[in-house]
Amino acid sequence: MRAWIRTVAVAALAATILYANAHAGPLAFDLPLYQPPVIADSKAPTKCTVTYMIADLANNDLYASRMRIASAETDTPVDNRMPCPKSMPPRVGLQALDTCLSRSAEAKFCVFADMSRGFERQPDIHNTAENASRCASDTASDIGVACWMSGNLSVCNVACANSPNDALVQARVRCEDKQQHSCPITATVPVSGQ
Amino acid sequence: MGLRRIALLLLLGAGQACAQPPDAAPQQARPVFFPAPVQWDTDMLRSRPAISQSAADFANLAGGIAFGMSPADLNAKLPAPYPGMSWNALTLANEYPGEVRYFGVPIDAAGPLRMGLTACTGTGSYLVFLFREEGFFRLSYRLIPDKTCTDTDPAARQIFARFVPMGQKVALSVRYHVGKTQVVDITDATAGYLTPIRWRQGTN
């Protein structure tokens, strides 16, 4: 009896091994293999980013064009933010403008988003301010823009602040003060982004 | 209540009604597009894309289609492929110099190329796939308003927003309108002289 049980057990084991081998195909490529999570250093100082707000007048589109500036070895963070250059060469502004130029129907429709009073009568880049259309990450966390509509044309101004709400409020104040119009169309984005 | 008092109250009421702050107009949030960031060196003399992107990134975004594909290969990637697709079966796109051919699909049948649209598009809206001899080089969204969707600008903005972060060394995204039709073109960065050519209504 004991020998008979042993024979049955050995046969069952052999059958199990054979069955397992028959079903052992190649490894699937889409196995959910473990990947360690990417851990961002949340205490690392914010690197310098200068964000330009660019307007496409043809489509009334806004672009937040982000320029990251490498820090010098001697730079040290202040309030956990790396310093940004005090002045920006024109080529950086032109590069920011290019993000619109390459995507718009015509180059003349791309301007800096901080516009002078009366822009609606002469809507060209000479009536916009490059330096007022950008915010640097060492002094602001958010960039806001506020606009009013002159017919089909958005007339806008830009402001920098340290919260989305402040950026929006300050952009509206600047727009309404400068343009002498209510500026109900608004947007705000982080200066540094991803 | 005396007449003088009523008149005074009316005057005060009128004054209040006129003294609305300038922000009484309804607020509207304007979408902002985010092109790929640019990395500058310390002296701001040289720049390069801050993020490395490749053709695979475009293919991932566009449901597996890739620039350079043949009409038959691209057709096979669509949710409802046309039978018997080949280069010779395609119509000529007359606005281009040389030989450029195309076929189109209704936007409702575009599967992942609808880009998760939530805004309305109009029932006649469609996508066009443009090919040169080397293969697929442009994806063109044509969003046509109708009675059920009188403005396709929000839809065009939604689609455009998905492609703007794509670096210009991979795909060039352009947005314009022809009459009331909103157009979003996504073009292979290697398309050369074909890149600046725009759709003209009536040519295809």
mmCIF file of all heavy atoms in Angstrom, chain A residues 16-45:
data_model
loop_
_atom_site.group_PDB
_atom_site.id
_atom_site.type_symbol
_atom_site.label_atom_id
_atom_site.label_comp_id
_atom_site.label_asym_id
_atom_site.label_seq_id
_atom_site.Cartn_x
_atom_site.Cartn_y
_atom_site.Cartn_z
ATOM 1 N N THR A 16 3.325 17.333 -12.809
ATOM 2 C CA THR A 16 3.339 18.769 -12.486
ATOM 3 C C THR A 16 4.517 19.466 -13.156
ATOM 4 O O THR A 16 4.394 20.531 -13.745
ATOM 5 C CB THR A 16 3.408 18.966 -10.957
ATOM 6 O OG1 THR A 16 2.345 18.240 -10.365
ATOM 7 C CG2 THR A 16 3.305 20.439 -10.568
ATOM 8 N N ILE A 17 5.710 18.827 -13.069
ATOM 9 C CA ILE A 17 6.920 19.425 -13.666
ATOM 10 C C ILE A 17 6.758 19.546 -15.176
ATOM 11 O O ILE A 17 7.054 20.568 -15.785
ATOM 12 C CB ILE A 17 8.162 18.582 -13.287
ATOM 13 C CG1 ILE A 17 8.448 18.762 -11.781
ATOM 14 C CG2 ILE A 17 9.372 18.985 -14.119
ATOM 15 C CD1 ILE A 17 9.440 17.767 -11.223
ATOM 16 N N LEU A 18 6.251 18.465 -15.803
ATOM 17 C CA LEU A 18 6.049 18.466 -17.262
ATOM 18 C C LEU A 18 5.072 19.563 -17.675
ATOM 19 O O LEU A 18 5.308 20.315 -18.623
ATOM 20 C CB LEU A 18 5.521 17.093 -17.722
ATOM 21 C CG LEU A 18 6.578 15.984 -17.823
ATOM 22 C CD1 LEU A 18 5.895 14.640 -18.113
ATOM 23 C CD2 LEU A 18 7.590 16.311 -18.915
ATOM 24 N N TYR A 19 3.997 19.721 -16.919
ATOM 25 C CA TYR A 19 2.965 20.734 -17.234
ATOM 26 C C TYR A 19 3.553 22.147 -17.120
ATOM 27 O O TYR A 19 3.370 22.987 -17.985
ATOM 28 C CB TYR A 19 1.798 20.574 -16.267
ATOM 29 C CG TYR A 19 0.681 21.565 -16.508
ATOM 30 C CD1 TYR A 19 -0.276 21.309 -17.501
ATOM 31 C CD2 TYR A 19 0.593 22.739 -15.776
ATOM 32 C CE1 TYR A 19 -1.287 22.217 -17.727
ATOM 33 C CE2 TYR A 19 -0.415 23.655 -16.007
ATOM 34 C CZ TYR A 19 -1.356 23.385 -16.980
ATOM 35 O OH TYR A 19 -2.361 24.273 -17.215
ATOM 36 N N ALA A 20 4.334 22.344 -16.064
ATOM 37 C CA ALA A 20 4.929 23.670 -15.846
ATOM 38 C C ALA A 20 5.886 24.018 -16.973
ATOM 39 O O ALA A 20 5.906 25.143 -17.468
ATOM 40 C CB ALA A 20 5.641 23.710 -14.505
ATOM 41 N N ASN A 21 6.693 23.038 -17.411
ATOM 42 C CA ASN A 21 7.644 23.273 -18.505
ATOM 43 C C ASN A 21 6.927 23.587 -19.812
ATOM 44 O O ASN A 21 7.362 24.426 -20.578
ATOM 45 C CB ASN A 21 8.542 22.052 -18.686
ATOM 46 C CG ASN A 21 9.725 22.115 -17.715
ATOM 47 O OD1 ASN A 21 10.182 23.200 -17.381
ATOM 48 N ND2 ASN A 21 10.168 20.967 -17.246
ATOM 49 N N ALA A 22 5.802 22.883 -20.043
ATOM 50 C CA ALA A 22 5.066 23.091 -21.287
ATOM 51 C C ALA A 22 4.530 24.516 -21.378
ATOM 52 O O ALA A 22 4.365 25.051 -22.446
ATOM 53 C CB ALA A 22 3.910 22.096 -21.380
ATOM 54 N N HIS A 23 4.251 25.130 -20.237
ATOM 55 C CA HIS A 23 3.695 26.482 -20.235
ATOM 56 C C HIS A 23 4.729 27.567 -20.005
ATOM 57 O O HIS A 23 4.409 28.728 -19.908
ATOM 58 C CB HIS A 23 2.599 26.582 -19.161
ATOM 59 C CG HIS A 23 1.339 25.894 -19.573
ATOM 60 N ND1 HIS A 23 1.222 24.532 -19.545
ATOM 61 C CD2 HIS A 23 0.175 26.381 -20.070
ATOM 62 C CE1 HIS A 23 0.010 24.183 -19.991
ATOM 63 N NE2 HIS A 23 -0.636 25.299 -20.319
ATOM 64 N N ALA A 24 5.995 27.196 -19.929
ATOM 65 C CA ALA A 24 7.024 28.189 -19.638
ATOM 66 C C ALA A 24 7.530 28.810 -20.923
ATOM 67 O O ALA A 24 8.495 28.360 -21.510
ATOM 68 C CB ALA A 24 8.165 27.522 -18.884
ATOM 69 N N GLY A 25 6.850 29.853 -21.405
ATOM 70 C CA GLY A 25 7.254 30.565 -22.627
ATOM 71 C C GLY A 25 8.334 31.569 -22.293
ATOM 72 O O GLY A 25 8.773 31.678 -21.151
ATOM 73 N N PRO A 26 8.765 32.336 -23.314
ATOM 74 C CA PRO A 26 9.759 33.386 -23.044
ATOM 75 C C PRO A 26 9.159 34.478 -22.170
ATOM 76 O O PRO A 26 7.944 34.664 -22.142
ATOM 77 C CB PRO A 26 10.085 33.932 -24.445
ATOM 78 C CG PRO A 26 8.941 33.515 -25.296
ATOM 79 C CD PRO A 26 8.377 32.270 -24.709
ATOM 80 N N LEU A 27 9.989 35.215 -21.499
ATOM 81 C CA LEU A 27 9.531 36.295 -20.627
ATOM 82 C C LEU A 27 8.847 37.379 -21.447
ATOM 83 O O LEU A 27 9.318 37.752 -22.517
ATOM 84 C CB LEU A 27 10.724 36.927 -19.912
ATOM 85 C CG LEU A 27 11.146 36.295 -18.585
ATOM 86 C CD1 LEU A 27 12.378 37.015 -18.064
ATOM 87 C CD2 LEU A 27 10.018 36.395 -17.569
ATOM 88 N N ALA A 28 7.725 37.868 -20.950
ATOM 89 C CA ALA A 28 7.067 38.987 -21.626
ATOM 90 C C ALA A 28 7.899 40.248 -21.424
ATOM 91 O O ALA A 28 8.541 40.409 -20.393
ATOM 92 C CB ALA A 28 5.673 39.175 -21.042
ATOM 93 N N PHE A 29 7.902 41.138 -22.429
ATOM 94 C CA PHE A 29 8.704 42.347 -22.339
ATOM 95 C C PHE A 29 8.019 43.432 -21.511
ATOM 96 O O PHE A 29 8.635 44.398 -21.119
ATOM 97 C CB PHE A 29 9.007 42.891 -23.737
ATOM 98 C CG PHE A 29 10.014 42.060 -24.463
ATOM 99 C CD1 PHE A 29 9.635 41.218 -25.488
ATOM 100 C CD2 PHE A 29 11.348 42.099 -24.084
ATOM 101 C CE1 PHE A 29 10.574 40.450 -26.148
ATOM 102 C CE2 PHE A 29 12.284 41.333 -24.736
ATOM 103 C CZ PHE A 29 11.902 40.504 -25.773
ATOM 104 N N ASP A 30 6.706 43.257 -21.340
ATOM 105 C CA ASP A 30 5.992 44.339 -20.670
ATOM 106 C C ASP A 30 5.692 44.013 -19.209
ATOM 107 O O ASP A 30 4.724 44.466 -18.648
ATOM 108 C CB ASP A 30 4.688 44.657 -21.407
ATOM 109 C CG ASP A 30 3.800 43.435 -21.523
ATOM 110 O OD1 ASP A 30 4.292 42.345 -21.192
ATOM 111 O OD2 ASP A 30 2.643 43.592 -21.941
ATOM 112 N N LEU A 31 6.540 43.168 -18.626
ATOM 113 C CA LEU A 31 6.335 42.871 -17.209
ATOM 114 C C LEU A 31 6.483 44.162 -16.402
ATOM 115 O O LEU A 31 7.334 44.984 -16.706
ATOM 116 C CB LEU A 31 7.378 41.860 -16.732
ATOM 117 C CG LEU A 31 7.118 40.411 -17.130
ATOM 118 C CD1 LEU A 31 8.265 39.543 -16.635
ATOM 119 C CD2 LEU A 31 5.802 39.906 -16.543
ATOM 120 N N PRO A 32 5.649 44.299 -15.388
ATOM 121 C CA PRO A 32 5.762 45.524 -14.596
ATOM 122 C C PRO A 32 6.971 45.465 -13.669
ATOM 123 O O PRO A 32 6.848 45.308 -12.468
ATOM 124 C CB PRO A 32 4.439 45.553 -13.813
ATOM 125 C CG PRO A 32 4.042 44.121 -13.706
ATOM 126 C CD PRO A 32 4.563 43.432 -14.932
ATOM 127 N N LEU A 33 8.157 45.548 -14.292
ATOM 128 C CA LEU A 33 9.375 45.440 -13.507
ATOM 129 C C LEU A 33 9.489 46.624 -12.559
ATOM 130 O O LEU A 33 9.112 47.731 -12.894
ATOM 131 C CB LEU A 33 10.594 45.402 -14.442
ATOM 132 C CG LEU A 33 10.640 44.198 -15.377
ATOM 133 C CD1 LEU A 33 11.782 44.348 -16.364
ATOM 134 C CD2 LEU A 33 10.820 42.911 -14.582
ATOM 135 N N TYR A 34 10.048 46.354 -11.423
ATOM 136 C CA TYR A 34 10.153 47.414 -10.413
ATOM 137 C C TYR A 34 11.168 48.461 -10.854
ATOM 138 O O TYR A 34 12.273 48.142 -11.278
ATOM 139 C CB TYR A 34 10.586 46.832 -9.070
ATOM 140 C CG TYR A 34 10.842 47.912 -8.058
ATOM 141 C CD1 TYR A 34 9.768 48.580 -7.473
ATOM 142 C CD2 TYR A 34 12.139 48.300 -7.723
ATOM 143 C CE1 TYR A 34 9.988 49.597 -6.557
ATOM 144 C CE2 TYR A 34 12.358 49.309 -6.807
ATOM 145 C CZ TYR A 34 11.284 49.961 -6.229
ATOM 146 O OH TYR A 34 11.495 50.981 -5.334
ATOM 147 N N GLN A 35 10.750 49.714 -10.845
ATOM 148 C CA GLN A 35 11.680 50.804 -11.109
ATOM 149 C C GLN A 35 11.676 51.707 -9.888
ATOM 150 O O GLN A 35 10.609 52.102 -9.421
ATOM 151 C CB GLN A 35 11.245 51.612 -12.330
ATOM 152 C CG GLN A 35 11.444 50.856 -13.626
ATOM 153 C CD GLN A 35 11.070 51.675 -14.821
ATOM 154 O OE1 GLN A 35 10.162 52.501 -14.754
ATOM 155 N NE2 GLN A 35 11.754 51.469 -15.920
ATOM 156 N N PRO A 36 12.849 52.026 -9.395
ATOM 157 C CA PRO A 36 12.866 52.902 -8.220
ATOM 158 C C PRO A 36 12.311 54.282 -8.587
ATOM 159 O O PRO A 36 12.548 54.771 -9.688
ATOM 160 C CB PRO A 36 14.352 52.986 -7.855
ATOM 161 C CG PRO A 36 15.076 52.609 -9.090
ATOM 162 C CD PRO A 36 14.193 51.671 -9.851
ATOM 163 N N PRO A 37 11.546 54.896 -7.698
ATOM 164 C CA PRO A 37 10.995 56.218 -8.009
ATOM 165 C C PRO A 37 12.099 57.258 -8.103
ATOM 166 O O PRO A 37 13.129 57.137 -7.440
ATOM 167 C CB PRO A 37 10.072 56.495 -6.816
ATOM 168 C CG PRO A 37 10.599 55.634 -5.729
ATOM 169 C CD PRO A 37 11.188 54.425 -6.372
ATOM 170 N N VAL A 38 11.862 58.250 -8.980
ATOM 171 C CA VAL A 38 12.808 59.366 -9.083
ATOM 172 C C VAL A 38 12.515 60.299 -7.921
ATOM 173 O O VAL A 38 11.397 60.781 -7.753
ATOM 174 C CB VAL A 38 12.643 60.112 -10.421
ATOM 175 C CG1 VAL A 38 13.561 61.318 -10.467
ATOM 176 C CG2 VAL A 38 12.909 59.175 -11.575
ATOM 177 N N ILE A 39 13.496 60.505 -7.113
ATOM 178 C CA ILE A 39 13.284 61.334 -5.927
ATOM 179 C C ILE A 39 13.906 62.709 -6.166
ATOM 180 O O ILE A 39 15.119 62.827 -6.345
ATOM 181 C CB ILE A 39 13.876 60.685 -4.666
ATOM 182 C CG1 ILE A 39 13.193 59.336 -4.433
ATOM 183 C CG2 ILE A 39 13.720 61.582 -3.451
ATOM 184 C CD1 ILE A 39 13.879 58.453 -3.431
ATOM 185 N N ALA A 40 13.051 63.719 -6.222
ATOM 186 C CA ALA A 40 13.567 65.074 -6.390
ATOM 187 C C ALA A 40 14.021 65.600 -5.039
ATOM 188 O O ALA A 40 13.425 65.298 -4.017
ATOM 189 C CB ALA A 40 12.479 65.958 -6.952
ATOM 190 N N ASP A 41 15.111 66.340 -5.075
ATOM 191 C CA ASP A 41 15.609 66.935 -3.844
ATOM 192 C C ASP A 41 14.796 68.197 -3.564
ATOM 193 O O ASP A 41 15.052 69.254 -4.136
ATOM 194 C CB ASP A 41 17.097 67.255 -4.018
ATOM 195 C CG ASP A 41 17.699 67.800 -2.735
ATOM 196 O OD1 ASP A 41 16.945 67.980 -1.761
ATOM 197 O OD2 ASP A 41 18.917 68.062 -2.726
ATOM 198 N N SER A 42 13.818 68.061 -2.698
ATOM 199 C CA SER A 42 12.901 69.178 -2.470
ATOM 200 C C SER A 42 13.585 70.330 -1.738
ATOM 201 O O SER A 42 13.072 71.431 -1.688
ATOM 202 C CB SER A 42 11.688 68.703 -1.663
ATOM 203 O OG SER A 42 12.126 68.169 -0.440
ATOM 204 N N LYS A 43 14.772 70.060 -1.174
ATOM 205 C CA LYS A 43 15.465 71.133 -0.453
ATOM 206 C C LYS A 43 16.501 71.833 -1.328
ATOM 207 O O LYS A 43 17.126 72.795 -0.891
ATOM 208 C CB LYS A 43 16.122 70.560 0.801
ATOM 209 C CG LYS A 43 15.097 70.175 1.874
ATOM 210 C CD LYS A 43 15.758 69.663 3.126
ATOM 211 C CE LYS A 43 14.698 69.268 4.161
ATOM 212 N NZ LYS A 43 15.277 68.586 5.299
ATOM 213 N N ALA A 44 16.682 71.331 -2.559
ATOM 214 C CA ALA A 44 17.659 71.958 -3.449
ATOM 215 C C ALA A 44 17.166 73.349 -3.831
ATOM 216 O O ALA A 44 15.969 73.551 -4.028
ATOM 217 C CB ALA A 44 17.841 71.105 -4.697
ATOM 218 N N PRO A 45 18.079 74.330 -3.937
ATOM 219 C CA PRO A 45 17.634 75.676 -4.303
ATOM 220 C C PRO A 45 17.060 75.706 -5.721
ATOM 221 O O PRO A 45 17.481 74.937 -6.592
ATOM 222 C CB PRO A 45 18.917 76.512 -4.212
ATOM 223 C CG PRO A 45 20.039 75.546 -4.166
ATOM 224 C CD PRO A 45 19.507 74.242 -3.679
#
